[in-house]
Amino acid sequence: MVDPVNSSPVARAAARVAVGIAAALGIVIATDLVLTDGATARGAVVAGIPAGNLDDAEAQAVVDQLSERAIHRVRLHTDTGSATVAPDDLGLFFDAEATKARLMDQPRNPWPRLMAILGRTHAVQPVVTIDRAVFDATLDDLRSELEKAAVEGGVHYEVADDVATPVADMPAAGKRVARDAAATTLMAQWLDDKPVDLPMEDFDPSVSAEVVGQTVAGAATRAVAAPVTLEGADDVSVRVTPAQLGSVLTFVADGRGGLQPEIDPKRSTEMLRPQLAETEREAVDATFSLSSGSPTVVPSRDGSRVDWDKTFASTAATVTGADASDTRVVEVAYAPVKPKLTTKQARGLGVREVVSEFTTSGFSSASGENIRLVAAEVDGALVKPGEKFSLNTYTGPRGTAQGYVTSTIIDHGHADKAVGGGISQFATTLYNAAYFAGLEDVTHTEHSYYISRYPEAREATVFEGAIDLVFRNNTEHGIYIETGWSPSDVTVRMWSTTTVDVESITGERYAYTDPPSLKLPKGDNCIASTGSRGFTTSNTRIISDAESGAEISRHTRTVKYDPAPNVKCV
């Protein structure tokens, strides 16, 4: 034991120096404690931003800068690619308040404080959290950009001279993002506002080279050892050669470390559909017959189509499980095709009685032929509850290719000739049938000048591609349309269930206008006429409940007819 009284002068001097230094350091640290009270820790750096010895307002400015960075898109880099992603899509959240509190926290250990006084900096991590479920889901979506997929082993065929030869596709390892390490890295570096390099890890494919070799020698060779026959309905059979099979067959990973046969559905369907199409059956919708004088339901019939998925699965199983000496026959699978309107649905539509009927007459022979054609097209149309009926859509084109002929039309206020003339007479007849059935008028257009064989303000014209007649079945029952034609008149009859009564009131004529004079070049298309006065009138439709008589709706439509010009052919 050393006696301090008897210690050497040198030792006593050293002790005094040490005590002095300690006292000086204590004074320095104590002074720094006072000077930095209410400020951030000296030497603090957060996300690369110097943040030491800042007062509250200055610290808030740093945190605001970090908050601004927190809305920037994040640039992710890996060994194999890059992507730019919104922070929310990575599940990142920056806690500004907690980060500021961490900055304002003064170190209790004197050593870090002394080192800071001497100029050494220390990192303060911003408070960041990450939602792993969101992060993992986004990385799943970015696999093609950020990761190198493992190459799964497989088998394909080379086809030459009608011979299919199996070829091995050897597996290769891939690289993927190491998720746990990547999440940690991202939280630490996100707010540095620089690209973040995500750590990667190697991973192996599920199929080994050994499995590929075994498949080539076994199932892949057996598959093309002999033809396979597909037997369809109606005694139709299709022979598929080994070369044809090799052009559509591959072996792919089954997710359990093995390989399974896979037939290319698009190419196989293109190859086989022409030969098997005749074995398919179209579904037939239920409809109605009026042969007995009242509607009876003509039953629907299910159809069938080739179920290609099941057929290809059976084919793959058959050819890979058989050798050349086995019978290689596959029954073509069929899936039922249901009609759009079944017998049961048709019977529930309430098509049982005539709810409206309208007839017009007085057309020429040419117009009559066009009216006959369009009436035949519309005959038997069914409008289900809630559906719209468009005359132009239902008939499609009405040109010479469909048998329509040239007849009189109205063009720019005067008579002219064009293919399909006379269709407007059928449109007027159909419109009135829908009118008196109480159906909703979606759109219709009157003729530009009045034609005496039509009801005033209760008629319609159509023009392909421009002017249409559309009504909606706003009842709870189906509407079955029957048409009848003779050389002198055309009739439209609607069958359903009576729910309303319809009254039509035609208003008085007023605001007459005189016809202008018009001179046109002589020719087949010039039709001379004496003209007629124009006027304005209206029609009011009153719809009442058929059972109670209570008024349901009342609508007035005002129509202005132009004067028909005095036309001279000169």
Side-chain angles (χ1 to χ4, degrees):
M1 182 173 179
V2 178
D3 184 353
V5 176
N6 298 319
S7 60
S8 68
V10 174
R12 289 195 298 272
R16 285 194 295 271
V17 170
V19 170
I21 291 173
L25 290 176
I27 292 170
V28 170
I29 292 172
T31 301
D32 188 64
L33 277 170
V34 173
L35 293 176
T36 59
D37 183 42
T40 61
R42 190 183 297 277
V45 177
V46 58
I49 303 173
N53 197 25
L54 303 179
D55 61 24
D56 186 83
E58 292 170 327
Q60 185 61 50
V62 170
V63 171
D64 290 344
Q65 188 174 348
L66 294 177
S67 296
E68 176 64 25
R69 290 182 179 183
I71 64 175
H72 295 171
R73 294 177 68 83
V74 185
R75 292 166 290 171
L76 304 178
H77 282 188
T78 66
D79 295 343
T80 57
S82 61
T84 303
V85 189
D88 288 347
D89 292 337
L90 290 168
L92 291 167
F93 173 73
F94 169 56
D95 191 332
E97 185 175 341
T99 299
K100 182 180 178 182
R102 183 175 286 182
L103 281 172
M104 301 300 291
D105 186 29
Q106 292 287 342
R108 296 292 180 262
N109 188 329
W111 182 251
R113 182 178 291 275
L114 180 60
M115 291 298 98
I117 292 172
L118 296 176
R120 179 177 293 181
T121 61
H122 67 278
V124 176
Q125 288 297 324
V127 180
V128 172
T129 58
I130 189 168
D131 185 326
R132 279 300 300 268
V134 175
F135 172 73
D136 287 337
T138 297
L139 287 193
D140 287 344
D141 293 338
L142 294 174
R143 278 177 174 154
S144 60
E145 289 96 330
L146 298 178
E147 300 182 345
K148 177 185 176 183
V151 178
E152 288 288 3
V155 179
H156 72 278
Y157 290 88
E158 288 184 355
V159 180
D161 298 327
D162 293 329
V163 176
T165 304
V167 178
D169 299 318
M170 288 304 178
K175 293 183 74 68
R176 65 190 175 196
V177 175
R179 298 294 178 91
D180 291 342
T184 301
T185 299
L186 189 58
M187 286 191 293
Q189 300 181 16
W190 167 36
L191 295 176
D192 290 351
D193 208 27
K194 298 177 181 178
V196 179
D197 291 318
L198 300 181
M200 304 287 283
E201 62 185 8
D202 294 331
F203 71 102
D204 294 324
S206 63
V207 179
S208 67
E210 181 182 4
V211 169
V212 173
Q214 292 172 348
T215 303
V216 168
T221 297
R222 290 196 303 273
V224 293
V228 60
T229 300
L230 305 184
E231 292 190 345
D234 302 328
D235 297 326
V236 173
S237 63
V238 180
R239 183 176 182 270
V240 181
T241 67
Q244 289 175 315
L245 188 59
S247 68
V248 297
L249 177 65
T250 56
F251 287 79
V252 298
D254 62 7
R256 301 184 301 275
L259 290 175
Q260 64 184 12
E262 182 176 87
I263 293 178
D264 185 308
K266 184 175 184 296
R267 295 171 61 192
S268 299
T269 302
E270 290 174 350
M271 179 174 66
L272 297 172
R273 184 183 293 281
Q275 301 169 77
L276 291 175
E278 63 181 289
T279 69
E280 297 182 316
R281 295 289 178 267
E282 293 287 340
V284 178
D285 288 345
T287 186
F288 295 89
S289 171
L290 298 172
S291 59
S292 64
S294 61
T296 57
V297 174
V298 179
S300 62
R301 186 173 68 244
D302 287 353
S304 63
R305 60 170 179 80
V306 174
D307 189 326
W308 295 106
D309 289 342
K310 288 185 178 179
T311 300
F312 294 151
S314 297
T315 302
T318 297
V319 299
T320 56
D323 59 37
S325 63
D326 292 329
T327 301
R328 296 157 66 96
V329 176
V330 175
E331 294 288 338
V332 176
Y334 291 89
V337 178
K338 294 296 182 182
K340 295 178 181 178
L341 183 67
T342 66
T343 303
K344 181 179 179 180
Q345 290 170 333
R347 287 173 177 160
L349 287 176
V351 176
R352 59 172 60 94
E353 60 188 339
V354 175
V355 295
S356 69
E357 181 176 342
F358 200 78
T359 300
T360 62
S361 59
F363 43 76
S364 67
S365 59
S367 292
E369 175 60 14
N370 292 331
I371 293 170
R372 182 188 69 80
L373 289 173
V374 71
E377 286 194 73
V378 175
D379 187 41
L382 178 66
V383 189
K384 298 176 187 175
E387 286 187 347
K388 294 178 182 179
F389 179 91
S390 158
L391 182 57
N392 286 350
T393 300
Y394 191 85
T395 65
R398 299 185 294 263
T400 54
Q402 290 75 36
Y404 289 86
V405 299
T406 299
S407 187
T408 304
I409 64 167
I410 297 175
D411 183 21
H412 294 88
H414 65 86
D416 202 342
K417 290 185 177 181
V419 174
I423 301 298
S424 290
Q425 176 142 355
F426 178 79
T428 290
T429 312
L430 178 63
Y431 169 74
N432 275 272
Y435 177 103
F436 285 107
L439 303 182
E440 178 186 334
D441 176 21
V442 176
T443 183
H444 83 279
T445 302
E446 293 84 359
H447 288 82
S448 58
Y449 64 79
Y450 177 61
I451 300 173
S452 60
R453 63 180 179 271
Y454 302 151
E456 295 177 17
R458 210 181 69 217
E459 44 90 10
T461 185
V462 290
F463 191 84
E464 186 179 326
I467 303 173
D468 200 3
L469 165 63
V470 183
F471 57 84
R472 189 177 76 89
N473 180 2
N474 54 343
T475 76
E476 297 179 353
H477 307 286
I479 298 289
Y480 182 75
I481 302 175
E482 177 193 8
T483 67
W485 178 90
S486 76
S488 59
D489 59 39
V490 62
T491 298
V492 174
R493 188 176 294 115
M494 292 191 172
W495 296 79
S496 187
T497 295
T498 300
T499 58
V500 296
D501 291 325
V502 177
E503 179 184 0
S504 175
I505 301 174
T506 301
E508 298 293 330
R509 296 183 180 185
Y510 62 95
Y512 286 93
T513 54
D514 293 327
S517 295
L518 184 63
K519 294 181 179 181
L520 297 175
K522 286 183 178 180
D524 292 341
N525 289 338
C526 182
I527 302 174
S529 63
T530 57
S532 60
R533 299 174 72 192
F535 59 91
T536 299
T537 187
S538 65
N539 176 266
T540 299
R541 180 168 71 159
I542 304 171
I543 300 178
S544 304
D545 183 83
E547 185 174 342
S548 67
E551 184 174 312
I552 297 173
S553 66
R554 177 186 295 255
H555 176 72
T556 298
R557 183 179 179 91
T558 300
V559 179
K560 178 181 179 296
Y561 288 109
D562 295 331
N566 292 306
V567 178
K568 293 183 178 181
C569 301
V570 296

